[in-house]
Amino acid sequence: MKNKEKKVARGKILEGVVVSDKMDKTISVLVKAKVSHQLYKRSVVKSKKYKAHDKDNKAKEGDRVKIVKSRPYSKEKSFELLEIIK
């Protein structure tokens, strides 16, 4: 490769809001998803928190971010910060 571009195997990409940045190099991201209820066929908002690796500690609480599935960094942390949207 002439450009020396880093090939990244992208997995699952999620978008959410940072709810905690108190840990070192780790952020907690709340991801919300609209799903249809299997029995009642109504839209339900489900939410889940993911811990993501933030190597430069750039993301702050309240930021909208994209995270991507990566190798496991610890027992609970297997996502990595891809970009800060806002």
Side-chain angles (χ1 to χ4, degrees):
M1 294 189 305
K2 288 184 178 183
N3 302 7
K4 293 188 178 180
E5 290 180 10
K6 187 176 168 185
K7 282 193 176 181
V8 179
R10 294 264 165 92
K12 192 180 212 179
I13 296 176
L14 302 173
E15 188 174 316
V17 178
V18 177
V19 290
S20 174
D21 64 340
K22 292 175 175 64
M23 297 166 274
D24 185 35
K25 297 186 180 182
T26 305
I27 55 174
S28 188
V29 180
L30 181 71
V31 176
K32 292 184 180 179
K34 263 191 176 181
V35 293
S36 178
H37 193 281
Q38 196 170 4
L39 178 63
Y40 301 116
K41 310 297 187 228
R42 298 281 180 154
S43 292
V44 180
V45 177
K46 292 205 173 200
S47 61
K48 186 172 179 182
K49 276 198 244 180
Y50 295 94
K51 288 191 176 134
H53 184 67
D54 179 14
K55 65 178 179 182
D56 299 326
N57 288 321
K58 291 189 290 185
K60 298 297 173 202
E61 201 169 316
D63 287 351
R64 189 153 202 68
V65 295
K66 279 188 181 179
I67 56 175
V68 63
K69 184 87 171 155
S70 66
R71 68 177 181 85
Y73 287 96
S74 67
K75 179 182 172 184
E76 297 177 342
K77 185 167 66 167
S78 60
F79 280 85
E80 189 175 2
L81 178 67
L82 186 62
E83 67 175 310
I84 299 171
I85 298 169
K86 192 172 183 182

